[in-house]
Structure formats: structure tokens, C-alpha cells
């Protein structure tokens, strides 16, 4: 009999017998006990259910106070004052609550508010509850749900396609551009059909996406593929390297301004649009609105800042290695730009304009090396320091894991326009 009890597969009432594991045994439950069970089940089914509760959200209006909003939503004055006092004691900064902020009200079936909740951030929530001894409030800290996700976007017209499609946030796109800017000129190198791939940490609260954090890996896939993988240094800051540990930071950036397009390239013979004839154009012209910030492509020293004949307002910088960079047709130079001043890479030195001999707003950008002008897009600049040798093996292993995740993610189903 013990063996049968351990292997039963069903219990079926069958007249005066009970079938257990396929064996028919006498039904041993007394009739009175059976009646008691039925009576208990009947009593349980008749127990009253908890009153239904509903939650709704109210928003602070211009000039509102929490007290006013509660009373306007049928919270009696004594309760409303008690809620405000409890929330204040729990740490809510009442004066920092602004128009548009939300309060959640939990009501019993009869309409009485029994809980008031306020979340100043996705990670902090205050709940005030009605109890037998009055109102009390507590603070709840919500731990973010951090996930690693792949974001991919195909480009048709511009980088901002990835934002308008919802594939990436504006900040995510700007962060990607900063990571890869020494190797990619997003004015000259971008083509329709190119793809952006990002491996990012994203934070969720209550199942809702709140924001993105670190970019762990960034990849731009076009005529060539440029990859950046994050490495956290001893100072806690991320520096980006290629998959083999070579620094992405270069002594010179590829472009002196952000997200524009090239209106005229480097050429030794080009019809001049103003003066006529065929002349050399030893520069890259970036079409951009007047006032667009222009930055130094490398650390250097100002040699000239002001009017320069046909070039209009010009800033000229001297760099190490025999390089000079020229920024022409500016509308103005940045405050403090004068000969002898030292500037840093990506420091704003002026704004796009159309001064001098110019057909419209643009930046005429030139680079010379040892006195000879060179094509800015062809110069191969020295990279920064590589990953420390004792960290290289670990970094390469991490990089390969990150890139495998990028490769495994499904491609965008359609171009982002």
C-alpha cells in the first residue's frame, strides 16, 4: 500500500470506491465528514471580497500646491493637511514640485482616498497611506533594471534618420559621433545605406525605458568599418579603442564642425565661382548655417585671428609636426582668440559665416604640412596611446564578445527615413 500511495496518478470518486493508481479501494470518508467539507466550502464562497480599489493620476497645474490638488480631488481638508505633513516628514521637497508633476491617488470603492503617491524621479517614490492612527508616509528606492541592448539603424539621408525613426536618442547619436569622430568625417564619409550599430546599457524602471547609459561599443559600417570599444581606466572614465586595443583618439579630428555636408572638395584646378577662371581650391568647403560653431581639430597655438583679405575673418592655428590649420570666411572669432593663445582639440574658435570672397555661408578649411597645402581628408594622423600591454588580452576578449553581440542582432527591417 505505501508503494501505491507514492505513485498515484489520480483520485476519482466512484460510488463507494476510490480509484488510486488504477486500484479500487473502499471509500473510507464518513458521510458526516463529507457534509462538513461541503459546508466549509459553502461558507468560504460566501465570505465578502475585499472592496475594489482604483488608481488615477492627477497633475499639478501652474501655481498649484499639493494641498490644493488633493482638496480639489475630494480629499477632505484634515486628510489633505495630514498627507502633506506625512510626505514632508518622509523627505519630499514640497517647493520643488512643479507644474506637470503627477500624484497618484488610490481610492476605495466608496471613493475615499487611502493612498497618495509621488515619484520625483523614476528611482524614488513616496507613498502616504491612511491607517488607524492617521496618515504616514515612507520612501521607496527603486533599483534600476540595467540591460545591455543593441541599437541598429540604416542611413538614407543623414545621421538624424536614426533619431527620427526612434532607433536612437539624440544624446546616443551625439555620443556615438564623439567616439568615432577622429576616424569618420560625417560630412564626407557618410553614404546612403551605411549602418550604425551600438551596444548600450539601458535603464528601465517598472518595465519602462528611462534612459541609456554607457555605450559599450560603437560601429559605423560603410565603405569601411570603424569600431570603438569602451575601456574604463583607473580614473573611472571610458576611453575608446578599436577591437585590437589601438586608440581611436587621434592628434587631429577628421572634421572641424558637426553634421554638415561638403559643398566643394580639394582640387588643384577648379572654376572659381566668384573670380572666374580656373584656380586651385586647396581646401574643403563645409556648407553650414551662419553661426555654426567651428572647433580646433587639434591642440595648437593661435597665429592669426581676424580679417585676412579674400579669406574674410580667419583663424589660423599652428600644431606640432609642422602642421597648420586655417578656418576661413568666419562670421566671428571666439572670445579670447588672439595670437599666442593655446587652444585644445575641439575647443570652439569661431563661427561659420560668409565674409571675404564667398558665395554663401560655409567654412573654408585648409591644412598645410611643412609649408605645403595638403588634402585634409587624406592626411593620416598619429593615434593616441594604445591599451596598456598588461590589459590587452582581457580587452581583446571583451571586444570580441561585444562585437559578436552587434553581429548577432537582427538588421533593421527598413531604411530609416
Amino acid at each position: 500500500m505505501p508503494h501505491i500511495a507514492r505513485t498515484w496518478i489520480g483520485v476519482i470518486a466512484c460510488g463507494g470506491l476510490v480509484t488510486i493508481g488504477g486500484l479500487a479501494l473502499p471509500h473510507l470518508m464518513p458521510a458526516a465528514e463529507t457534509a462538513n467539507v461541503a459546508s466549509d466550502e459553502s461558507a468560504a464562497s460566501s465570505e465578502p471580497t475585499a472592496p475594489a480599489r482604483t488608481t488615477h493620476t492627477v497633475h499639478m497645474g501652474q501655481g498649484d500646491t499639493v494641498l490644493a490638488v488633493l482638496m480639489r480631488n475630494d480629499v477632505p481638508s484634515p486628510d489633505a493637511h495630514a498627507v502633506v505633513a506625512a510626505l514632508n516628514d518622509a523627505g519630499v521637497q514640497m517647493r520643488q514640485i512643479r507644474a506637470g508633476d503627477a500624484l497618484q491617488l488610490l481610492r476605495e470603492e466608496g471613493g475615499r482616498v487611502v493612498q497618495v503617491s509621488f515619484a520625483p524621479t523614476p528611482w524614488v517614490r513616496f507613498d502616504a497611506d491612511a491607517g488607524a492612527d492617521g496618515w504616514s508616509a515612507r520612501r521607496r528606492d527603486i533599483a534600476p533594471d540595467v540591460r545591455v541592448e543593441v541599437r541598429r539603424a540604416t542611413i538614407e539621408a543623414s545621421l538624424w534618420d536614426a533619431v527620427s525613426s526612434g532607433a536612437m536618442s539624440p544624446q546616443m547619436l551625439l555620443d556615438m559621433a564623439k567616439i568615432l569622430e577622429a576616424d569618420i568625417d560625417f560630412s564626407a564619409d557618410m553614404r546612403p545605406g551605411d549602418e550604425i550599430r551600438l551596444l548600450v546599457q539601458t535603464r528601465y524602471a517598472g518595465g519602462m525605458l528611462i534612459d541609456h547609459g554607457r555605450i559599450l561599443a560603437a560601429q559605423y559600417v560603410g565603405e569601411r568599418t570603424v569600431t570603438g570599444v569602451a575601456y574604463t581606466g583607473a580614473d573611472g572614465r571610458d576611453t575608446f579603442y578599436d577591437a585590437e586595443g589601438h586608440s581611436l583618439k587621434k592628434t587631429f579630428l577628421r572634421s572641424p564642425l558637426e553634421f554638415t555636408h561638403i559643398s566643394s572638395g580639394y582640387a588643384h584646378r577648379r572654376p572659381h565661382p566668384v573670380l572666374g577662371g580656373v584656380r586651385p581650391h586647396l581646401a574643403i568647403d563645409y556648407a553650414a548655417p551662419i553661426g555654426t560653431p567651428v572647433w580646433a581639430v587639434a591642440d595648437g597655438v593661435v597665429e592669426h585671428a581676424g580679417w585676412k583679405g579674400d579669406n574674410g575673418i580667419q583663424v589660423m592655428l599652428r600644431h606640432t609636426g609642422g602642421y597648420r590649420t586655417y578656418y576661413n570666411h568666419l562670421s566671428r572669432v571666439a572670445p579670447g582668440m588672439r595670437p599666442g593663445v593655446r587652444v585644445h582639440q575641439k575647443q570652439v574658435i569661431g563661427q561659420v559665416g560668409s565674409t571675404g570672397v564667398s558665395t554663401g555661408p560655409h567654412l573654408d578649411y585648409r591644412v598645410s604640412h611643412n609649408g605645403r597645402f595638403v588634402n585634409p581628408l587624406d592626411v593620416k594622423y598619429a593615434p593616441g596611446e594604445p591599451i596598456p600591454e598588461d590589459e590587452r588580452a582581457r580587452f581583446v576578449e571583451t571586444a570580441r564578445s561585444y562585437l559578436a553581440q552587434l553581429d548577432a542582432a537582427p538588421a533593421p527591417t527598413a531604411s530609416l527615413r
Side-chain angles (χ1 to χ4, degrees), residues 180-413:
L180 303 180
E181 65 188 356
D183 284 285
I184 294 287
D185 182 340
F186 292 102
S187 303
D189 301 334
M190 193 172 62
R191 300 287 186 274
D194 289 355
E195 188 180 335
I196 302 169
R197 302 175 180 177
L198 300 180
L199 186 68
V200 298
Q201 288 180 334
T202 53
R203 298 195 300 173
Y204 289 77
M208 295 182 60
L209 173 65
I210 303 301
D211 59 18
H212 87 280
R214 296 175 61 212
I215 292 180
L216 302 178
Q219 197 170 65
Y220 191 93
V221 182
E223 291 187 352
R224 59 194 180 97
T225 297
V226 178
T227 300
V229 178
Y231 170 78
T232 306
D235 60 358
R237 299 176 62 183
D238 283 341
T239 305
F240 285 83
Y241 299 81
D242 69 14
E244 300 304 319
H246 303 114
S247 176
L248 291 191
K249 182 176 175 60
K250 302 293 192 296
T251 52
F252 281 69
L253 300 177
R254 288 273 291 169
S255 174
L257 69 175
E258 192 168 49
F259 301 160
T260 62
H261 70 275
I262 291 177
S263 56
S264 185
Y266 186 93
H268 288 282
R269 292 176 57 81
R270 185 196 72 161
H272 198 284
V274 177
L275 302 177
V278 176
R279 298 165 178 259
H281 184 252
L282 306 180
I284 299 294
D285 285 351
Y286 292 93
I290 290 177
T292 301
V294 176
W295 54 61
V297 295
D299 295 349
V301 176
V302 177
E303 284 201 343
H304 178 81
W307 195 270
K308 192 72 171 181
D310 291 351
N311 291 321
I313 297 176
Q314 179 198 76
V315 171
M316 180 173 65
L317 305 179
R318 182 180 74 253
H319 311 279
T320 59
Y323 287 98
R324 284 180 170 80
T325 55
Y326 308 76
Y327 311 80
N328 299 324
H329 305 311
L330 302 175
S331 59
R332 63 180 63 187
V333 299
M337 290 296 109
R338 59 182 182 277
V341 169
R342 183 169 296 278
V343 298
H344 302 290
Q345 188 179 73
K346 215 169 182 185
Q347 179 179 338
V348 174
I349 58 174
Q351 297 178 359
V352 169
S354 187
T355 56
V357 179
S358 169
T359 58
H362 73 286
L363 173 69
D364 175 290
Y365 169 60
R366 302 173 183 238
V367 177
S368 69
H369 185 225
N370 294 331
R372 295 183 58 188
F373 283 103
V374 295
N375 187 340
L377 301 183
D378 289 343
V379 178
K380 305 299 182 186
Y381 299 112
E385 292 293 321
I387 284 283
E389 194 59 39
D390 59 349
E391 290 287 317
R392 182 181 296 274
R394 183 172 66 87
F395 172 83
V396 169
E397 182 180 353
T398 300
R400 288 174 181 170
S401 171
Y402 287 169
L403 299 186
Q405 293 179 65
L406 290 180
D407 290 339
T413 56

